[in-house]
Amino acid sequence: MRRATIAAAVLSVSTLSAQQSAPGIGSIKKEEMRADLFFLASDSMQGRLTDTPENKLAAEWIAARFARLGLKPAGDEGTFYQTFNLVTATRGDGNALALRASALSTDGSPSTADEFHPLRFSASSKASGEVVFAGFGITSPQRGYDDYGGDIKGKVVLALDHEPGEADPNSPFDGIVTSQASDPLWKTLAAQEKGAVAILFVRDAHNHPDPFDFARASAGYWPTQPSRIPRYMLGAWVERVRIPALQIAPALAARLLQPSGRQLADLAKASESPKGSAPIPLGTFVDVSTSVTRTIVPDRNVVARLEGSDPALRDELVVVCAHYDHDGVNGADVLNGADDDGSGTVGVMEIAEAFAEAAAQGHRPRRSILLAAWNSEERGLFGAWAYTEDPIRSLDRVVAVLNMDMIGRNEEVPESGGGRFRGLEAQTAESNANAINIIGTTRSASLKEAIERANGEIGLTLRLRYDNNASQLMRRSDHWPFLNRGVPGVWFHTGLHPDYHTPNDDPERINYDKMEKIARLVYQSAWDLASSTSRPVLDR
């Protein structure tokens, strides 16, 4: 699970109508989940970091369980593995940016190395052209928003970081949650599609007017010493980038703006538009050269399928998922990730067993079930994003995504929790003893109602409070890629706690009684969704 209020809705389960329990639900047992988690989150698994032997072993262990249960492989070439590529990058020599007064001038003014740097996803390329200011550089047709209301073919785009209305809870860009449309890589692809030959990003001087040390930020972006965990990107995205993409200092942006007589802060303020804006020519021309070396890192998800019983509906899927990776070893400390997300992973395996047992007794839901263990969630939700790029069945056939990430503890926020608990009100573990956060329900009322009905016999307290919250929880787990691709999805999450992302996230600290109830809730929800004649819809 990647790095709102208590008074938000808590649902009363007593008013929900009773329903028939899904066949096989009794096979979901805390004792089995405990045994699995003590292996998956043991010191011998070394924190299951992406691209390590232990991470690969975790994938093989999950695949072996799926095979033993008699589930169908849903991966590549009849296997349980869906492969994809991650990418890392190193900065090469020859990165340069020079300003010219006109298209014909040859006496460019070179920028110094501390005024710009290439972005990790940038292509290694050269470009020249007139600079145009394009607001936030966002194109979002579903929101009726476009910063490219004019021709930018052959131009170099200057765009602001972030997004309009970033502190506005009513912003169409997912409220105060950072929207995916504001991702610099996505902005680069949007500019490239419109015909731009390069893109330059600069800090939003209106919403972030505080002093900014660009040289220090640049040194942190391209550190001299490699970090413990490589900075990965999704290969399917990076390989599409064909133009130079650079971050520039505000002082360099001011030089670009000088011929136009405009100020960056004024342009940034004017960019706070509900519909976007037309690009503004700045009267400056630049020559850009970028050199970034990409290294491919193979990765894989583990996916299995239980075939549905209805010939008319079995091509549709209900996805039950979690992520099996964590953060590895830091010095002498093993980051075991028992709750994050060993708990969700063993939940998927236990739910898989329940479906297999029901099938053995002659009971199958109408739709098919996809059981998925994503990899590299901690690195950027990349396993789930990779699936949305290359789904085994088109995404319009995915009825719902039920994602489990951290389902083994009670949410606990200390009075002085610090930045890792930003946006969350102080609360005790005892106050959340029977509670589970369901994140994503504001996107689909019908999916929310299905989960409420499924909870009728289970009796958990469902808290719906973090969809539009400064904690950014809405975008911090594997339901997020699906929501951004138009698929209803929710995240079952017992909440953050002081052991989150520390060496203390161990299997001894898990609340197995509660985890059993949550796994049963997810199973019942999945069974009901897969058995219904209707399907949930995405409201927005």
Side-chain angles (χ1 to χ4, degrees):
M1 205 276 313
R2 297 185 73 198
R3 321 228 223 285
T5 67
I6 300 299
V10 177
L11 300 176
S12 170
V13 300
S14 61
T15 60
L16 301 176
S17 58
Q19 66 176 74
Q20 184 176 1
S21 293
I25 195 169
S27 71
I28 297 175
K29 297 177 180 177
K30 60 185 177 183
E31 296 84 3
E32 295 176 359
M33 286 192 284
R34 187 179 192 277
D36 283 341
L37 191 54
F38 264 80
F39 167 72
L40 186 62
S42 64
D43 284 354
S44 64
M45 293 300 287
Q46 294 287 284
R48 310 184 305 280
L49 181 65
T50 291
D51 196 31
T52 63
E54 293 80 15
N55 178 278
K56 293 177 174 64
L57 176 60
E60 291 162 5
W61 180 66
I62 297 164
R65 178 67 59 83
F66 287 162
R68 193 182 79 191
L69 292 171
L71 299 173
K72 287 189 175 182
D76 306 333
E77 299 177 349
T79 72
F80 288 102
Y81 304 115
Q82 182 199 36
T83 58
F84 58 96
N85 288 329
L86 301 179
V87 172
T88 61
T90 55
R91 180 169 53 175
D93 298 326
N95 290 285
L97 191 157
L99 282 63
R100 291 185 286 115
S102 71
L104 299 178
S105 63
T106 58
D107 54 342
S109 171
S111 301
T112 59
D114 60 356
E115 290 182 310
F116 73 94
H117 62 253
L119 294 172
R120 282 186 286 271
F121 57 79
S122 174
S124 291
S125 184
K126 294 182 178 181
S128 298
E130 182 183 10
V131 182
V132 296
F133 177 75
F136 290 94
I138 292 175
T139 296
S140 181
Q142 65 269 38
R143 298 179 176 92
Y145 185 96
D146 189 5
D147 278 321
Y148 296 113
D151 185 12
I152 63 164
K153 290 181 180 178
K155 309 296 185 183
V156 174
V157 166
L158 174 64
L160 299 168
D161 292 333
H162 309 294
E163 64 190 40
E166 65 177 88
D168 179 4
N170 297 313
S171 167
F173 287 92
D174 300 320
I176 56 177
V177 175
T178 302
S179 72
Q180 196 63 35
S182 71
D183 185 288
L185 195 157
W186 284 41
K187 289 183 180 183
T188 299
L189 292 174
Q192 177 178 285
E193 185 177 346
K194 295 284 187 176
V197 296
I199 187 167
L200 313 175
F201 291 99
V202 67
R203 184 177 174 87
D204 174 6
H206 172 62
N207 293 302
H208 300 270
D210 46 304
F212 177 53
D213 187 340
F214 180 83
R216 182 175 180 180
S218 184
Y221 189 87
W222 291 107
T224 304
Q225 298 297 323
S227 57
R228 177 178 71 87
I229 301 176
R231 297 172 178 178
Y232 296 103
M233 300 170 287
L234 184 63
W237 294 347
V238 176
E239 67 186 17
R240 296 177 194 156
V241 178
R242 302 184 305 274
I243 65 175
L246 302 92
Q247 190 77 32
I248 69 171
L252 178 55
R255 289 169 56 197
L256 292 172
L257 291 168
Q258 194 169 13
S260 70
R262 297 174 180 268
Q263 300 295 316
L264 182 60
D266 295 335
L267 286 173
K269 183 177 181 179
S271 298
E272 289 286 335
S273 162
K275 296 296 181 182
S277 56
I280 300 173
L282 300 182
T284 306
F285 294 76
V286 297
D287 301 316
V288 175
S289 177
T290 49
S291 176
V292 176
T293 301
R294 299 171 179 172
T295 300
I296 293 175
V297 179
D299 205 354
R300 58 185 179 176
N301 296 319
V302 188
V303 285
R305 188 174 76 252
L306 180 93
E307 201 72 13
S309 62
D310 188 333
L313 294 176
R314 65 169 54 129
D315 283 343
E316 296 183 356
L317 293 172
V318 173
V319 178
V320 178
C321 61
H323 72 90
Y324 66 89
D325 66 300
H326 195 58
D327 284 346
V329 177
N330 189 5
D333 293 326
V334 181
L335 300 164
N336 286 317
D339 192 22
D340 186 12
D341 183 27
S343 62
T345 301
V346 301
V348 168
M349 294 195 298
E350 198 68 7
I351 289 168
E353 182 178 345
F355 275 114
E357 181 170 309
Q361 297 172 359
H363 304 291
R364 289 175 182 262
R366 290 171 172 164
R367 296 182 174 89
S368 297
I369 306 294
L370 182 72
L371 290 308
W374 313 122
N375 202 12
S376 300
E377 186 270 0
E378 299 290 358
R379 311 282 65 86
L381 316 183
F382 289 136
W385 275 119
Y387 182 86
T388 66
E389 290 288 329
D390 185 24
I392 64 169
R393 292 177 184 167
S394 60
L395 291 179
D396 61 3
R397 294 183 178 273
V398 179
V399 170
V401 173
L402 306 179
N403 172 43
M404 293 176 286
D405 191 351
M406 298 178 66
I407 61 167
R409 297 285 293 270
N410 297 335
E411 183 167 13
E412 181 182 356
V413 180
E415 288 287 349
S416 300
R420 65 205 307 264
F421 294 103
R422 182 174 70 94
L424 306 179
E425 292 189 3
Q427 52 198 287
T428 65
E430 291 74 19
S431 69
N432 292 304
N434 191 51
I436 175 80
N437 297 298
I438 313 294
I439 299 172
T441 57
T442 56
R443 302 298 183 91
S444 175
S446 48
L447 180 54
K448 175 178 75 74
E449 290 163 3
I451 295 167
E452 293 170 1
R453 287 192 299 271
N455 188 50
E457 292 297 310
I458 293 168
L460 286 159
T461 300
L462 309 185
R463 301 196 192 277
L464 317 178
R465 52 184 178 173
Y466 292 144
D467 280 19
N468 191 2
N469 182 266
S471 66
Q472 301 287 323
L473 284 168
M474 181 65 160
R475 59 170 292 125
R476 287 166 62 177
S477 195
D478 290 316
H479 64 301
W480 179 251
F482 292 92
L483 285 174
N484 277 274
R485 299 302 194 197
V487 178
V490 292
W491 171 16
F492 295 81
H493 174 53
T494 47
L496 303 187
H497 48 78
D499 295 334
Y500 160 67
H501 277 210
T502 77
N504 294 322
D505 186 6
D506 292 326
E508 294 86 352
R509 298 170 183 252
I510 295 296
N511 182 341
Y512 291 98
D513 289 324
K514 182 176 179 180
M515 195 161 77
E516 178 185 88
K517 293 174 71 175
I518 294 167
R520 290 185 177 190
L521 169 60
V522 175
Y523 176 66
Q524 182 73 57
S525 299
W527 185 276
D528 294 347
L529 289 163
S531 300
S532 175
T533 54
S534 61
R535 54 185 289 178
V537 296
L538 202 63
D539 299 326
R540 64 182 182 90

